Amino acid sequence: MKYPDSFLKLVEDFKKFPGIGKKSAERLALFVISQMDKEVVSEFSNHLVSAKNNISHCPICGVLMEEHCSICEDENRDDDTIMVVSDERDVFVLERNHLFHGKYHVLGGSIDFSRGISAEDLNIDSLFKRLDGVKEVILSLSGTVEGELTAQYIKELLKQYPVLVSRIAYGIPVGADLSYADDQTLERALNNRLKYE
């Protein structure tokens, strides 16, 4: 039996999502075709287009935003501290748990030479334009080889600025991704951060 072309195209689209293989993509496509109402599918597709068209990265901190950045414009946040994270997922994890009340700086990834990602490909240079009045920069990067390399690189560049450079404590297992940490481990890691030397 040959699947209809439209179905195969939908399967291929689902396979583009991270963690979705052929079987999962087929299950999702079958669910859309056989169990979702046309109105729900239409609304879902509109949400996809709207999100892609309306969401961008804040030009200052790199956090996802629509018209305004809720982090940068929040006057209740501590302007003295900037936490550097790899991507938006890390911000969502920390914000969900209300563990950090300063500002963020999203790099958009980590240095990974095996994938052709160098420091120039990341949102690093704009961090140094934000350091006026900042007392501490917290490097909250994953304990992977790539995260460590990125942290070392940023730490070296920050030596020329009068800021304390700290690193979240290793309550996060080495080799683990920050977005998979449980709330208690994340809180312990943040509260026990040390000067990064």
Side-chain angles (χ1 to χ4, degrees), residues 8-174:
L8 292 173
K9 288 177 184 174
L10 188 56
V11 169
E12 289 303 312
D13 286 338
F14 279 124
K15 282 170 56 180
K16 294 173 184 171
F17 286 86
I20 302 293
K22 183 178 179 185
K23 288 183 179 181
S24 295
E26 287 176 353
R27 276 196 301 275
L28 289 169
L30 283 170
F31 178 80
V32 169
I33 300 301
S34 61
Q35 297 185 34
M36 290 179 76
D37 293 334
K38 285 184 180 180
E39 294 79 21
V40 175
V41 173
S42 179
E43 188 176 358
F44 178 58
S45 68
N46 288 338
H47 290 163
L48 285 172
V49 172
S50 176
K52 191 63 179 171
N53 288 337
N54 297 325
I55 295 176
S56 61
H57 290 91
C58 172
I60 297 170
C61 70
V63 170
L64 292 179
M65 58 171 254
E66 284 195 75
E67 294 178 9
H68 306 284
C69 178
S70 61
I71 302 288
C72 288
E73 294 185 0
D74 186 349
E75 295 179 359
N76 295 317
R77 298 193 82 93
D78 178 11
D79 289 329
D80 294 345
T81 310
I82 294 177
M83 181 179 289
V84 178
V85 296
S86 292
D87 59 41
E88 302 86 2
R89 289 176 302 173
D90 301 333
V91 175
F92 293 145
V93 169
L94 290 158
E95 286 299 293
R96 180 183 69 222
N97 297 297
H98 310 288
L99 297 174
F100 179 67
H101 306 289
K103 301 289 178 88
Y104 292 98
H105 191 82
V106 180
L107 298 176
S110 297
I111 297 170
D112 186 350
F113 296 120
S114 67
R115 293 175 46 215
I117 301 171
S118 67
E120 291 75 31
D121 299 313
L122 303 178
N123 182 29
I124 294 176
D125 290 341
S126 61
L127 170 64
F128 306 112
K129 298 173 185 172
R130 303 179 61 197
L131 296 179
D132 189 32
V134 171
K135 295 177 181 172
E136 181 182 11
V137 174
I138 304 169
L139 299 177
S140 185
L141 304 171
S142 297
T144 61
V145 172
E146 295 80 15
E148 286 296 321
L149 178 62
T150 308
Q152 282 286 340
Y153 178 79
I154 294 172
K155 182 189 87 161
E156 288 301 314
L157 293 176
L158 286 170
K159 283 183 177 178
Q160 59 187 306
Y161 296 90
V163 296
L164 169 68
V165 179
S166 61
R167 182 95 157 91
I168 59 170
Y170 282 101
I172 309 292
V174 174

